[in-house]
Amino acid sequence: MTQENGAGRDDDGLPVAEAELEPAVLDLFEDYRAGFDDFDADALADCFAYPNVIWQFGKGNVFADDEELLENIEKLLAALDKEGVVASDYEVLASYVGGDTAVATLSWTQSDKLGEPVIEFTCHYHLLYDGDTWRIAMIVNEP
C-alpha cells in the first residue's frame, strides 16, 4: 500500500503534486461524499478513526468516539439542509500515500437542487489505514 504521487517538477524545479489516489483511498472519499449527499450522519461517522481531530475556524476539536462526532455531524447536516445543499462534489488537489498513512487536499463544492454552488471550501485530510480500510484521523479546514 505504498504510493507516492508526484508528477515531477514544474518550470522552477519545484515538486508538483499529482492529484491521484489509490482506489481504496478514493473509496473512502466517495463514501464520505455519499454520506453528505444522503444526509447520513452514521455513514459519515464511519469514515473516521477514533480519536480524531477537526480543525476549523482556528480551533481544533478532538472527538474521542462516534457519539461525540455524531453530535457535531448532525449540527453540520442541519446547517447544510438549511442552506439548501443537496449534493457534494470534490476534486483531489494533492495527495501522498505512504505505508499506513495518507494525506490529501480536496476542494469541495456543495450545491443546491439547481446545481448551483452554495458552499465552496478546501480541506486537508490525514488518513490512517486500520488494517482493512482507510479512515480519517484529522481534517484541517482552510479558513
Side-chain angles (χ1 to χ4, degrees):
M1 286 251 152
T2 302
Q3 172 183 344
E4 182 174 351
N5 293 321
R9 302 203 173 265
D10 66 13
D11 293 337
D12 297 322
L14 299 172
V16 176
E18 187 175 289
E20 290 183 21
L21 285 171
E22 62 183 63
V25 176
L26 286 173
D27 287 346
L28 168 66
F29 288 121
E30 280 302 305
D31 290 347
Y32 192 60
R33 183 198 56 74
F36 278 109
D37 285 355
D38 295 339
F39 282 78
D40 186 339
D42 290 320
L44 288 166
D46 287 345
C47 294
F48 286 83
Y50 295 95
N52 63 65
V53 178
I54 299 177
W55 280 91
Q56 57 190 4
F57 310 117
K59 180 181 174 191
N61 296 291
V62 178
F63 300 94
D65 56 35
D66 63 344
E67 185 176 317
E68 289 182 8
L69 184 61
L70 280 168
E71 183 178 327
N72 184 335
I73 291 171
E74 288 167 0
K75 288 178 185 176
L76 174 60
L77 292 177
L80 293 176
D81 186 43
K82 184 178 178 180
E83 292 294 324
V85 170
V86 299
S88 299
D89 286 304
Y90 65 88
E91 177 184 354
V92 179
L93 300 179
S95 64
Y96 170 82
V97 177
D100 289 344
T101 190
V103 291
T105 298
L106 275 58
S107 174
W108 287 90
T109 301
Q110 294 180 310
S111 305
D112 63 18
K113 64 183 175 184
L114 299 175
E116 294 296 321
V118 176
I119 303 169
E120 296 177 305
F121 58 96
T122 299
C123 288
H124 308 280
Y125 297 87
H126 194 135
L127 312 175
L128 296 174
Y129 187 72
D130 71 4
D132 66 343
T133 192
W134 288 95
R135 299 206 186 275
I136 301 167
M138 181 171 64
I139 300 175
V140 178
N141 292 320
E142 285 192 6

